[in-house]
Amino acid sequence: MKTIKIISAIALTAILGFTSCQSEENSQVGTNPNANSSTSPTASNYQRATMNDGSDDDFLDGNACTELLFPLTANVNGQQITLLSKLDFTAVLNIMGQFNNDSDAVTFSFPIRVRTSAYTDVTINSQSAFNTLKQECETAESQGKDAISCVDIQFPVTMLTYSVSLEQTGSVVIQSEKQLYTFMKNLQDDELFAVNYPISVTLSNGTTVQIKSDAEFQNAISECVQFEDEKDAAEDTAEEVEAILSGTKFKVETFVVAGANTANDYANWSIEFKNDLKVVAKNVVNSALGEVNGTYTVSSETEAFVNINFASNTTVSALSNNWVISTYSNTLITLKSKTDASVTLALKKI
């Protein structure tokens, strides 16, 4: 999935230290039959949820395992650009967004520096080394060694530590994702832990929830992963539909408003979606009626959308809407209004 991070094969070189302290006042001092080992699902969940997130720059490097470090220079669709911070991402996206029927090409001026999922900073000296790192990422993901970036844990979080005999040995107050990742990564076979619940987490859908157990944390992960999967599927749909629309002429096959099919009102009109996000309606019978120009965008959330915008008071202005993509093929796209599902539009390729 596109918003997940994975453990890089590059070894962790910077280890944070922690201070453990015995707390006789803690309500969980003593034995704890629910303590977790380093190989437990709970340990895996917390480690995966706290890896370094390298997904923000995936449009540039195509690698969710690595975070690009600044400064760096890249050639984007033939244009050289130097990036000093994430603020320069906008300039890259503007170049990529000039046309929607081209294949965006990005090459870096090596060496570049990246930060891995394990918080290790690495210098990449060549395209081949860059490709190897990307392949390692894909291999690890296929093996189920992926990390989860759709849960943000609110810190501080306290971890209670136990011996294998389930006697508490101390507690550790964790202040950041990096510290929690390192704590989980460095657990030894003879060390157990328990999370001092409750804790708060924020999911990628914007919901903040209080977690009171390991099981509830697993449920929160399952919920947000499902949400991310829906977003990924919608993004794939948007990309495919945009490719079908771009540079192609369509006719109105059906246009149902208030239960009536008004497609005949547009029988003499073609709708052409240009590759620069312009849309042009032409009367193919009476050229004297000229053209009606508009714009369109294809986007996604947990559904995919086609937004069509023609000027008001034109023959085709009623087609303006934020449409939800219902079904699509290479020749037919069916849409429904985002605000009124009873209003539907079907566009058939000419």
Side-chain angles (χ1 to χ4, degrees):
M1 86 195 210
K2 295 175 177 134
T3 58
I4 59 179
K5 306 166 285 181
I6 68 115
I7 304 176
S8 171
I10 301 172
L12 179 67
T13 58
I15 304 297
L16 293 183
F18 298 101
T19 302
S20 296
C21 58
Q22 186 75 29
S23 175
E24 294 183 358
E25 297 179 357
N26 193 295
S27 61
Q28 296 198 40
V29 166
T31 62
N32 187 341
N34 297 316
N36 300 283
S37 71
S38 61
T39 59
S40 66
T42 297
S44 175
N45 284 340
Y46 278 97
Q47 182 173 320
R48 293 168 62 197
T50 54
M51 293 175 188
N52 183 51
D53 187 359
S55 60
D56 286 349
D57 52 28
D58 283 1
F59 65 96
L60 265 174
D61 65 1
N63 188 344
C65 311
T66 57
E67 172 192 359
L68 294 169
L69 299 179
F70 304 103
L72 62 90
T73 300
N75 187 292
V76 182
N77 292 351
Q79 300 185 48
Q80 183 167 300
I81 183 169
T82 297
L83 293 86
L84 302 177
S85 72
K86 289 186 177 181
L87 295 176
D88 294 315
F89 284 172
T90 300
V92 175
L93 292 171
N94 287 339
I95 295 172
M96 291 180 168
Q98 287 178 336
F99 302 100
N100 63 352
N101 67 341
D102 60 343
S103 297
D104 295 313
V106 178
T107 57
F108 295 102
S109 297
F110 295 99
I112 62 172
R113 295 182 304 121
V114 301
R115 182 165 295 148
T116 71
S117 296
Y119 295 92
T120 305
D121 291 358
V122 178
T123 298
I124 307 299
N125 292 307
S126 66
Q127 185 66 45
S128 61
F130 181 80
N131 292 341
T132 298
L133 192 62
K134 189 174 180 179
Q135 182 60 52
E136 290 171 352
C137 180
E138 294 171 355
T139 299
E141 181 176 351
S142 69
Q143 294 173 348
K145 297 179 180 178
D146 51 336
I148 302 165
S149 60
C150 60
V151 172
D152 284 333
I153 299 169
Q154 306 303 304
F155 294 95
V157 170
T158 299
M159 294 289 169
L160 309 176
T161 57
Y162 294 84
S163 67
V164 291
S165 61
L166 301 180
E167 293 293 331
Q168 186 174 350
T169 58
S171 62
V172 179
V173 178
I174 309 290
Q175 299 287 353
S176 68
E177 286 190 343
K178 183 177 181 180
Q179 287 185 356
L180 184 48
Y181 170 81
T182 305
F183 174 84
M184 292 298 170
K185 184 73 173 177
N186 293 335
L187 280 171
Q188 302 300 307
D189 292 341
D190 60 349
E191 296 177 322
L192 304 177
F193 76 95
V195 184
N196 191 19
Y197 293 108
I199 65 171
S200 293
V201 302
T202 301
L203 308 180
S204 55
N205 63 6
T207 303
T208 297
V209 295
Q210 190 174 73
I211 304 298
K212 299 178 182 178
S213 68
D214 294 342
E216 288 188 9
F217 187 58
Q218 176 63 64
N219 290 340
I221 288 174
S222 298
E223 179 182 337
C224 79
V225 166
Q226 180 179 354
F227 177 76
E228 291 298 310
D229 286 346
E230 291 172 358
K231 286 177 60 179
D232 289 345
E235 183 177 346
D236 290 340
T237 294
E239 290 176 355
E240 292 168 6
V241 169
E242 186 173 49
I244 293 168
L245 290 173
S246 183
T248 306
K249 292 182 181 180
F250 291 81
K251 68 176 183 178
V252 175
E253 182 74 359
T254 62
F255 184 30
V256 178
V257 180
N261 185 2
T262 61
N264 283 339
D265 295 343
Y266 308 92
N268 297 333
W269 291 83
S270 68
I271 312 294
E272 182 177 4
F273 294 86
K274 303 284 191 177
N275 66 1
D276 58 357
L277 299 179
K278 303 287 178 53
V279 59
V280 178
K282 291 183 181 180
N283 191 297
V284 297
V285 175
N286 186 356
S287 60
L289 294 177
E291 300 179 353
V292 180
N293 295 301
T295 59
Y296 76 101
T297 57
V298 184
S299 61
S300 65
E301 295 169 4
T302 52
E303 295 181 294
F305 307 98
V306 178
N307 183 279
I308 299 174
N309 184 28
F310 286 111
S312 58
N313 300 318
T314 66
T315 305
V316 294
S317 58
L319 301 179
S320 298
N321 208 321
N322 195 13
W323 299 101
V324 180
I325 299 170
S326 298
T327 63
Y328 65 96
S329 69
N330 286 329
T331 57
L332 183 69
I333 298 172
T334 63
L335 311 165
K336 63 182 178 181
S337 171
K338 184 179 180 180
T339 55
D340 183 355
S342 68
V343 178
T344 63
L345 172 66
L347 299 173
K348 186 174 183 178
K349 185 180 290 187
I350 299 175

